[in-house]
Amino acid sequence: MRTKPYTVLGIKRLKCFRCGAQAEHQWQICSDKNQYRPICLKCDIALNELVLRWMGFKDWKAKLKQYKATASA
């Protein structure tokens, strides 16, 4: 069980937990015992969109657009 965040170098050695693509980011949630899970950029963006919409942000599209611009850089 991974309870510490991955380093920038470490995350690049892993595959996305969800789809198997090259990992670039990481994610954790309380209901998964706060395990750090590597995720790729595509899955990270999809997860952010899901949460922004679920939380009811009226400007979720603008927030997601801004995130995509900075996450891809």
Side-chain angles (χ1 to χ4, degrees):
M1 179 168 21
R2 180 73 183 203
T3 58
K4 289 184 180 180
Y6 291 99
T7 64
V8 173
L9 185 59
I11 200 76
K12 295 184 183 298
R13 296 181 182 141
L14 302 170
K15 300 293 181 194
C16 179
F17 180 80
R18 182 173 178 267
C19 75
Q22 179 63 52
E24 294 184 37
H25 298 279
Q26 53 192 312
W27 178 75
Q28 73 172 152
I29 189 168
C30 302
S31 59
D32 188 31
K33 299 180 183 176
N34 289 316
Q35 292 184 74
Y36 283 87
R37 304 286 185 174
I39 58 174
C40 68
L41 179 59
K42 183 177 177 182
C43 289
D44 180 62
I45 289 171
L47 179 59
N48 275 273
E49 179 179 351
L50 179 77
V51 173
L52 286 169
R53 293 177 75 173
W54 181 81
M55 288 293 290
F57 284 94
K58 303 291 185 220
D59 62 342
W60 71 267
K61 288 181 184 177
K63 287 183 182 300
L64 190 63
K65 183 178 179 181
Q66 178 63 34
Y67 182 67
K68 284 180 182 181
T70 59
S72 300

